[in-house]
Each structure stands twice: as structure tokens, then as C-alpha cells.
Amino acid sequence: RKPDGNTDKRKGLDDETFHALGKALPSDTFLVTNSIEWYDWFAKQYGWRNPNWHEVSHSAIRNKQWGARSNATAIAEDMARKHNITVPDLQNLQLWSDWYTMVSARTKVLHTHSDFSLSAIHWMNTPSQTIMGMRNATRADEEDSNGEVKVGERVLDLIDEEWIRDGETPRLIDRPLEALKGCTEQERSALREEIEKKAKKQREATTGEEGEKGGDDLTSGPLDIPSDLQKKVDSHQYVYFSP
């Protein structure tokens, strides 16, 4: 993923890393990126496939693109007209297609840091690693490769995802109080109680009798959350956690 701006520093976007990826991965690798120029570069250098979009727009900042082909606007308008949708809707469908490509990956996903990529990977728990760039090989690398990689040789720096290294993040209502910000035990208990009450009501409505099996603990529809807690949720003051 190309950075959003000068202050958005992302690792693994240098030429050395790109060439190492091209040599390490098979020619049927499929590239998902927000940079049009990388479609052409990896296709020419290493035969990688791609969706060949003419431009990629930010999912939230509509005026944010990372480069486009010279006739991108005309092509987008023509495609949108043919499908009887707007150009923003067309861009949303392209983003969805990119996201679903990562969701449906069968072997492995390697990616530079991106919440867009991480959300797709985590959804399916797909084997994946984050590309951090290049590093010098260690003695452990040499031993793991049975001598094929020598100490000091430049190798790809790939790290496991955070939930693999540190374990899955628990549900918000199951986290210890010290991991939450602006949420008291009383408020968390109230939320848990409301969820359990709603689940019980749905089970009773489904079976017609209290205590019988039926329904599910995961329910849809609005919860009757205390107003002071709802205000914290709405103002994003409920919890702080590291993505």
C-alpha cells in the first residue's frame, strides 16, 4: 500500500524489497495495490497479475488517489454509465473486489502495513505476514534454511501478524478494566446484562417457553444501553485499544 502522505511512513516500499518479493514469489502472484504504476511494474518485471484498475480511490477520503492512467476519468464514467451506477459506487465496488480478493486468498497473503489488508486477512484467518523491508540474515536464518541462506545475506523481513504474536484480542466486554479507558465496571456490567437479557428474550420468543433451547446469544437489533454509556460510545470515549 502506497502511503497516504508524507507523514504516513510505511516500510517495505523500496526497490530492494520489491525485487526480493518478485524473485521469492511465484509468477501467478496476484497484486492488490493502490498504486497504478506498481500494476505495470510487477507485471512487466515478474509476470504478476492484477485487476488493472485505471485508478484507485481512498475508501473514506474521496478526493484521495495515488495516481491514475491518463484516460481514467473517461473510462470510469463510461463503465459507470454501462452499469447504471455512479462513479463513486463503481470505485466502492472496485475496493470491495480488492478486499474480497484478499479474503478469498487460499495460500498466503504478504502485505505492507494496511488496516484494509489486515481486516480481510483477519476475517478469514488467512496465513499472512507483514512486509517490513529487508534485513541481514542471522545465524538462525542460516540454520533454518540448511545453509542455503548465509549470515549477513540480505533477506526479506517478514513478521507474523499481531494476533499471532500476542494472541487474539478479547471482546471489549471481556477485557480487564486496566485495558479500557473511560469505562467503569458498573457500565461494563450494565452492557453485559442488557446483552444477556436481550438474548434470553429472543430465546423465549423463539421457543415459547423459558429455559428451552432455541435462538442464539448473538442477537440483532438495538440494545437498551444506559444513556451515559451510549454517550461515551457515540463520542468514541468508550475504550482505547491498539489496532
Side-chain angles (χ1 to χ4, degrees), residues 79-204:
M79 289 180 64
R81 193 180 307 110
K82 286 181 179 178
H83 295 284
N84 196 29
I85 58 176
T86 64
V87 170
D89 284 342
L90 175 65
Q91 293 168 340
N92 283 335
L93 287 172
Q94 291 175 337
L95 286 171
W96 166 251
S97 177
D98 282 347
W99 191 82
Y100 188 76
T101 296
M102 290 183 284
V103 165
S104 58
R106 295 182 179 180
T107 306
K108 190 172 186 177
V109 176
L110 297 182
H111 64 96
T112 55
H113 178 71
S114 167
D115 289 335
F116 183 75
S117 303
L118 286 168
S119 64
I121 295 162
H122 204 180
W123 185 273
M124 295 298 289
N125 202 23
T126 305
S128 65
Q129 290 179 301
T130 298
I131 304 164
M132 302 298 290
M134 301 291 290
R135 61 177 176 80
N136 294 328
T138 63
R139 181 69 62 186
D141 295 316
E142 185 176 70
E143 293 174 355
D144 291 342
S145 67
N146 294 321
E148 291 184 13
V149 174
K150 303 300 181 183
V151 174
E153 183 179 334
R154 297 289 284 170
V155 295
L156 282 167
D157 187 9
L158 307 175
I159 63 171
D160 291 330
E161 309 300 2
E162 186 176 13
W163 62 85
I164 301 299
R165 301 193 310 268
D166 304 331
E168 289 284 354
T169 303
R171 297 184 306 166
L172 295 181
I173 60 173
D174 292 334
R175 297 185 195 183
L177 273 181
E178 57 268 21
L180 302 176
K181 177 181 179 181
C183 178
T184 66
E185 177 60 36
Q186 180 181 4
E187 290 167 334
R188 188 171 61 168
S189 296
L191 179 60
R192 186 192 299 273
E193 184 179 338
E194 288 298 332
I195 292 174
E196 292 173 351
K197 283 168 58 178
K198 188 170 180 64
K200 181 179 178 182
K201 287 181 180 179
Q202 184 171 14
R203 285 196 299 270
E204 292 175 358

Side-chain angles (χ1 to χ4, degrees), residues 15-29:
D15 289 343
E16 184 185 13
T17 302
F18 283 177
H19 281 294
L21 286 168
K23 294 174 183 177
L25 299 178
S27 59
D28 64 349
T29 295

Side-chain angles (χ1 to χ4, degrees), residues 187-230:
E187 290 167 334
R188 188 171 61 168
S189 296
L191 179 60
R192 186 192 299 273
E193 184 179 338
E194 288 298 332
I195 292 174
E196 292 173 351
K197 283 168 58 178
K198 188 170 180 64
K200 181 179 178 182
K201 287 181 180 179
Q202 184 171 14
R203 285 196 299 270
E204 292 175 358
T206 302
T207 63
E209 294 183 31
E210 182 178 354
E212 288 189 7
K213 293 181 179 180
D216 197 314
D217 286 342
L218 298 177
T219 61
S220 59
L223 294 174
D224 184 17
I225 301 174
S227 58
D228 57 337
L229 179 57
Q230 186 64 56

Side-chain angles (χ1 to χ4, degrees), residues 39-53:
Y39 286 153
D40 300 335
W41 191 87
F42 279 103
K44 181 179 180 180
Q45 296 283 338
Y46 299 104
W48 288 8
R49 295 174 297 147
N50 61 72
N52 197 31
W53 306 134

Side-chain angles (χ1 to χ4, degrees), residues 59-70:
S59 58
I61 309 172
R62 277 297 164 204
N63 61 348
K64 180 66 181 177
Q65 286 91 20
W66 296 265
R69 303 194 191 282
S70 59

